[in-house]
Amino acid sequence: MNRTLSPSLGSNLLLRTDSYKVSHWMQYPPGTQTVFSYIESRGGLFSHSLFFGLQAYLREYLQTPVTRDDVDEAAALMAVHGEPFNREGWLRLIEKHGGLMPVRIRAVPEGSVLPVHNVLATIENTDPEFFWVTSFLETELLRAIWYPTTVATVSAAAKTTLLRYLEATCDDPQGQIAFKLHDFGARGVSSLESAALGGMAHLVNFMGTDTLSALMAARRYYDCDVAGFSIPAAEHSTITGWGREHEADAYRNMVAQFGKPGAIFAVVSDSYDIFNACARLWGDALREEVIRSGATLVVRPDSGDPAETTLKVAQILAERFGTTTNAKGFRVLNNVRIIQGDGVTLDSLRLCLSNFFHNGFSAENIAFGMGGGLLQQVNRDTMQWAMKCSAMQVDGEWRDVYKAPVGDTSKTSKKGRLVLAASADGEVRTQRAEQVLEPGQVDLLETVYENGRIVRESSFEGIRGLAASGVGRLVTSRAPL
């Protein structure tokens, strides 16, 4: 089979959509000129969303023009796939617009923390001849927003929980928070791009990561030189390779290699018996070497019940290395810390912190590594994401477009051309574009892309600042600590 293929899997915009979209150009009412659609989270797991990721999509995909080769490739595939391809329409778009998308995309600033059930982005065609382009882009535009925004929101939810416990038990919560949740998820996601986008979304809230593709994505899409940091750390093979009888030697090597004054290094210590490792090896045979090194040893349990195991490890390390009582009356381990990287979810993270709190340990003693729970255990339904058409211009007249399924009222969509009105006190409300803004109100939607050009961009630091100012709105629990 000898066929010319696209340079990369995602290089042809015409093949980044769903199959049924290919026939939609034939289905709109006669006289259709403009199709206006919006994206929202219809609810789900969280009260708010942390909007992120649109700029990455715009830079990577929507500045590249469609070419005649793209049209030829799509036409050939659709002929055997069973869809009526709009060849003449796409050739006309190339002729008239150079293959660039004649659409306008408006969105809230990235980093915004906003209540769900509100419009976050809109898209409409700018040339009446290409009314069918708006919906054709739905598949990739919705995907570009829902995944990084959901991961950013999960990460922000973890941050609110961590801050709650740090503020109760730590003398310097703001100085501690940046490295309390580390991204361990690169190997557990479905693709390299998912690791990059999800890992980058996490870095909006924190600065700890082992997902290198996230650093490259932040550099490529948001001009951030170095968005996150890591430390030397052991894996099981670098410990078990020494043999069980030489477990202490493996740990001693870690101290020798990385135990420098002021340094931090992590050692997975559950290869055989985490509690023996903490009590007899780290806490006895190697205790003085750890203290003399001037470094901070981070012990990593990697098995067992997270809440029970981390507390028992903390109690053993407290007995062996001692603690200092901080100004809030909670114990802080000397010389050592703990990182829990196995089975971390929003629930298990809270349980670990609650256990520490009720046993007198400060939350600064523990950090978390989150993998699948951060980057992979989310889907479009986690926050009930949808992109829906809400208005059409037909023969010069605008009409409301909406769905109202009798079987599920939660899927009722919004009507009309939409804006997001924000008042001075922070209240936001989705409303019709023709509705006059009240004094003091502003429309949070900004034009970010128009007719093939990105017209407004955000810096990663700006996004982080906006997210940090709004993360407190994301209520994850009102239960007692």
Side-chain angles (χ1 to χ4, degrees):
M1 196 176 290
N2 222 352
R3 291 199 183 100
T4 302
L5 298 176
S6 300
S8 66
L9 188 61
S11 62
N12 188 342
L13 179 146
L14 308 184
L15 301 177
R16 295 200 302 259
T17 193
D18 294 312
S19 297
Y20 81 138
K21 293 285 187 185
V22 179
S23 68
H24 289 176
W25 62 283
M26 306 172 70
Q27 301 177 30
Y28 288 96
T32 299
Q33 298 166 291
T34 309
V35 174
F36 180 102
S37 297
Y38 72 97
I39 290 175
E40 71 168 332
S41 163
R42 296 184 295 203
L45 194 59
F46 303 107
S47 63
H48 290 64
S49 64
L50 198 171
F51 186 73
F52 178 72
L54 178 57
Q55 184 169 301
Y57 161 70
L58 297 178
R59 281 199 183 184
E60 181 68 22
Y61 292 111
L62 221 55
Q63 295 183 106
T64 303
V66 171
T67 66
R68 291 187 68 93
D69 286 344
D70 293 335
V71 174
D72 290 343
E73 181 184 31
L77 179 60
M78 294 309 154
V80 295
H81 185 51
E83 294 288 350
F85 182 63
N86 188 8
R87 181 183 179 88
E88 295 307 314
W90 285 109
L91 290 176
R92 174 63 174 155
L93 188 147
I94 293 171
E95 175 189 1
K96 192 172 182 181
H97 294 285
L100 295 170
M101 295 301 102
V103 298
R104 178 183 303 113
I105 298 174
R106 305 184 74 228
V108 299
E110 297 199 32
S112 297
V113 180
L114 296 165
V116 297
H117 302 292
N118 280 296
V119 56
L120 296 176
T122 65
I123 179 172
E124 60 187 310
N125 59 289
T126 57
D127 185 335
E129 191 173 351
F130 304 101
F131 61 87
W132 40 269
V133 170
T134 299
S135 183
F136 191 90
L137 294 173
E138 175 188 352
T139 307
E140 61 180 72
L141 180 59
L142 181 58
R143 179 174 58 222
I145 289 174
W146 84 252
Y147 176 67
T149 298
T150 302
V151 174
T153 305
V154 170
S155 175
K159 186 175 184 177
T160 62
T161 299
L162 283 158
L163 277 172
R164 192 176 179 211
Y165 282 91
L166 284 170
E167 287 165 357
T169 68
C170 171
D171 292 344
D172 183 21
Q174 290 302 321
Q176 290 279 323
I177 188 63
F179 293 96
K180 282 299 173 185
L181 186 65
H182 204 85
D183 174 10
F184 280 4
R187 69 187 61 185
V189 290
S190 59
S191 69
L192 176 65
E193 187 169 69
S194 294
L197 294 174
M200 182 171 58
H202 165 71
L203 289 172
V204 169
N205 300 294
F206 294 93
M207 296 185 73
T209 185
D210 261 33
T211 301
L212 289 172
S213 59
L215 304 184
M216 299 312 297
R219 183 175 288 182
R220 181 182 181 93
Y221 303 128
Y222 293 90
D223 305 317
C224 182
D225 189 33
V226 183
F229 303 88
S230 188
I231 60 172
E235 70 172 19
H236 285 102
S237 75
T238 66
I239 302 302
T240 57
W242 292 70
R244 183 165 189 161
E245 66 278 13
H246 292 289
E247 183 182 6
D249 294 328
Y251 295 157
R252 182 174 287 110
N253 179 64
M254 291 296 294
V255 178
Q257 298 291 346
F258 306 112
K260 307 298 187 287
I264 305 172
F265 65 101
V267 185
V268 62
S269 302
D270 77 324
S271 296
Y272 309 109
D273 183 340
I274 180 66
F275 306 119
N276 179 73
C278 290
R280 297 184 181 279
L281 301 181
W282 290 122
D284 187 3
L286 301 171
R287 177 179 178 276
E288 292 305 317
E289 293 177 47
V290 170
I291 294 171
R292 282 198 307 269
S293 75
T296 298
L297 162 68
V298 182
V299 174
R300 177 161 73 93
D302 199 48
S303 52
D305 178 84
E308 293 177 3
T309 301
T310 53
L311 177 61
K312 188 171 180 180
V313 166
Q315 290 170 332
I316 294 170
L317 293 175
E319 179 184 343
R320 299 295 177 162
F321 286 90
T323 62
T324 302
T325 301
N326 65 21
K328 293 182 177 177
F330 287 83
R331 290 185 289 169
V332 180
L333 293 168
N334 297 330
N335 311 108
V336 294
R337 295 290 185 269
I338 301 162
I339 185 167
Q340 174 65 28
D342 177 62
V344 177
T345 65
L346 293 177
D347 287 337
S348 66
L349 181 147
R350 182 184 58 80
L351 287 172
C352 289
L353 292 169
S354 179
N355 254 9
F356 272 46
F357 175 82
H358 288 290
N359 285 274
F361 286 102
S362 171
E364 66 191 277
N365 291 301
I366 188 169
F368 297 87
M370 201 170 182
L374 180 65
L375 302 190
Q376 184 70 11
Q377 292 172 19
V378 297
N379 55 50
R380 189 163 68 92
D381 292 332
T382 302
M383 299 182 67
Q384 298 176 13
W385 289 99
M387 174 171 157
K388 295 299 174 186
C389 175
S390 58
M392 284 187 193
Q393 188 183 37
V394 182
D395 292 328
E397 298 291 328
W398 281 98
R399 63 175 63 167
D400 288 350
V401 179
Y402 66 99
K403 58 180 284 190
V406 66
D408 188 350
T409 57
S410 71
K411 291 190 173 184
T412 299
S413 61
K414 293 174 168 52
K415 304 176 183 178
R417 289 172 290 165
L418 305 172
V419 299
L420 186 62
S423 58
D425 63 3
E427 181 182 354
V428 298
R429 182 177 70 246
T430 298
Q431 64 184 45
R432 291 176 175 270
E434 60 268 25
Q435 185 177 339
V436 177
L437 294 174
E438 298 173 4
Q441 282 188 324
V442 295
D443 179 11
L444 292 182
L445 297 179
E446 303 169 335
T447 300
V448 294
Y449 177 93
E450 190 163 355
N451 299 332
R453 294 189 308 112
I454 299 174
V455 297
R456 187 179 185 88
E457 293 195 309
S458 301
S459 71
F460 205 68
E461 287 310 305
I463 293 168
R464 276 176 162 166
L466 188 57
S469 69
V471 73
R473 302 185 198 116
L474 210 163
V475 178
T476 57
S477 173
R478 299 185 188 279
L481 294 170

